[in-house]
Amino acid sequence: SFLTDITIPKSVTAIGQSAFQGCQCLAKVYCKPTNPPIADESIFIHIPCDTQIYVPMGSGATYKSAAGWEYYAPIIEEKAM
């Protein structure tokens, strides 16, 4: 896939299994929901190691400890959106 960045809208409450698996060009993910959408650890499997996942200010700790998201804690960063 040639997808380089994605924005997950505030209205999203769940992300399907392996939704972005293998997106080798994915560099940035912008998650707008304050509460992490329901997901499992496979949502971003096999993406580049330098991909950044940006979440709303004040929600970083919540994302980093949420089921499925905790696997990606090292690349989750808070950002004003």
Side-chain angles (χ1 to χ4, degrees):
S1 168
F2 296 105
L3 187 66
T4 59
D5 63 279
I6 57 169
T7 299
I8 298 171
K10 285 184 179 183
S11 59
V12 172
T13 58
I15 300 174
Q17 186 175 9
S18 304
F20 304 104
Q21 177 180 356
C23 290
Q24 291 299 312
C25 297
L26 190 59
K28 297 177 183 172
V29 177
Y30 299 93
C31 292
K32 297 213 171 187
T34 305
N35 293 316
I38 297 168
D40 70 16
E41 64 194 36
S42 72
I43 56 173
F44 297 112
I45 200 157
H46 303 302
I47 61 170
C49 60
D50 59 346
T51 300
Q52 279 299 137
I53 299 174
Y54 298 107
V55 300
M57 296 298 291
S59 63
T62 305
Y63 270 84
K64 290 178 181 184
S65 63
W69 293 92
E70 79 274 2
Y71 183 78
Y72 304 99
I75 61 171
I76 292 174
E77 182 179 323
E78 292 183 4
K79 184 176 182 79
M81 291 193 232

